[in-house]
Coordinates of all heavy atoms in Angstrom, one line a residue:
L249 N 86.7 98.6 67.2 CA 85.6 98.0 68.0 C 86.1 98.0 69.5 O 87.2 97.8 69.8 CB 85.5 96.4 67.7 CG 85.3 96.1 66.2 CD1 85.2 94.5 66.1 CD2 84.1 96.8 65.6
G250 N 85.1 98.3 70.4 CA 85.5 98.2 71.8 C 84.3 98.0 72.7 O 83.1 98.0 72.2
S251 N 84.5 97.8 74.0 CA 83.5 97.7 75.0 C 83.9 98.5 76.2 O 85.1 98.8 76.4 CB 83.3 96.2 75.3 OG 84.5 95.6 75.8
I252 N 82.9 98.7 77.1 CA 83.1 99.5 78.3 C 82.3 98.8 79.4 O 81.0 98.5 79.1 CB 82.6 100.9 78.1 CG1 83.2 101.7 76.9 CG2 82.8 101.7 79.4 CD1 82.6 103.0 76.7
V253 N 82.9 98.5 80.5 CA 82.2 98.2 81.7 C 81.9 99.5 82.5 O 82.8 100.1 83.0 CB 83.0 97.2 82.5 CG1 82.2 96.9 83.8 CG2 83.2 95.9 81.7
L254 N 80.7 99.9 82.4 CA 80.3 101.3 82.8 C 79.5 101.3 84.1 O 78.3 101.0 84.1 CB 79.5 101.9 81.7 CG 79.2 103.4 81.8 CD1 80.5 104.2 81.7 CD2 78.2 103.9 80.7
P255 N 80.0 101.8 85.2 CA 79.2 101.9 86.5 C 78.1 102.9 86.3 O 78.2 103.9 85.5 CB 80.3 102.5 87.5 CG 81.6 102.0 86.9 CD 81.5 102.1 85.4
Q256 N 77.0 102.5 86.9 CA 75.8 103.4 86.8 C 76.1 104.8 87.2 O 76.7 105.0 88.2 CB 74.6 102.8 87.6 CG 73.4 103.5 87.5 CD 72.2 102.9 88.2 OE1 72.4 102.3 89.3 NE2 71.0 102.8 87.7
G257 N 75.6 105.8 86.4 CA 75.9 107.2 86.7 C 77.1 107.8 86.0 O 77.1 109.0 85.9
N258 N 78.0 106.9 85.6 CA 79.1 107.4 84.8 C 78.8 107.6 83.3 O 78.0 106.9 82.8 CB 80.3 106.5 84.9 CG 80.9 106.6 86.3 OD1 80.6 107.3 87.2 ND2 82.1 105.9 86.4
A259 N 79.4 108.7 82.8 CA 79.2 108.8 81.3 C 80.2 108.0 80.5 O 81.2 107.6 81.0 CB 79.4 110.4 80.9
I260 N 79.8 107.6 79.3 CA 80.7 106.8 78.5 C 82.0 107.6 78.2 O 83.1 107.0 78.5 CB 80.0 106.5 77.2 CG1 78.9 105.5 77.4 CG2 81.0 105.9 76.1 CD1 78.1 105.2 76.1
T261 N 81.8 108.9 77.9 CA 83.0 109.6 77.5 C 83.0 111.0 78.1 O 81.8 111.7 78.2 CB 83.0 109.8 76.0 OG1 83.1 108.5 75.4 CG2 84.3 110.6 75.6
Y262 N 84.1 111.5 78.6 CA 84.2 112.8 79.0 C 85.2 113.6 78.1 O 86.4 113.1 78.1 CB 84.7 112.9 80.5 CG 83.8 112.2 81.5 CD1 84.1 110.9 81.8 CD2 82.8 112.9 82.2 CE1 83.3 110.2 82.8 CE2 82.0 112.2 83.0 CZ 82.3 110.8 83.3 OH 81.5 110.2 84.2
A263 N 84.8 114.6 77.4 CA 85.7 115.2 76.4 C 86.3 116.5 77.0 O 85.7 117.2 77.9 CB 85.0 115.6 75.2
V264 N 87.6 116.8 76.7 CA 88.2 118.0 77.2 C 88.8 118.7 76.0 O 88.9 118.1 74.9 CB 89.4 117.6 78.1 CG1 88.8 116.9 79.4 CG2 90.5 116.9 77.5
A265 N 89.2 120.0 76.2 CA 89.7 120.8 75.0 C 91.1 120.4 74.6 O 91.4 120.4 73.4 CB 89.7 122.3 75.4
S266 N 91.9 120.0 75.6 CA 93.3 119.6 75.2 C 93.9 118.8 76.3 O 93.4 118.8 77.5 CB 94.1 120.8 74.9 OG 94.5 121.5 76.1
F267 N 95.1 118.2 76.1 CA 95.8 117.5 77.1 C 96.2 118.4 78.2 O 96.4 118.0 79.4 CB 97.1 116.9 76.6 CG 96.9 115.6 75.9 CD1 97.8 115.1 74.9 CD2 95.8 114.8 76.1 CE1 97.7 113.8 74.3 CE2 95.5 113.6 75.4 CZ 96.5 113.2 74.5

Side-chain angles (χ1 to χ4, degrees):
L249 311 180
S251 61
I252 307 175
V253 177
L254 188 69
Q256 187 175 36
N258 284 6
I260 292 176
T261 300
Y262 302 92
V264 301
S266 73
F267 280 162

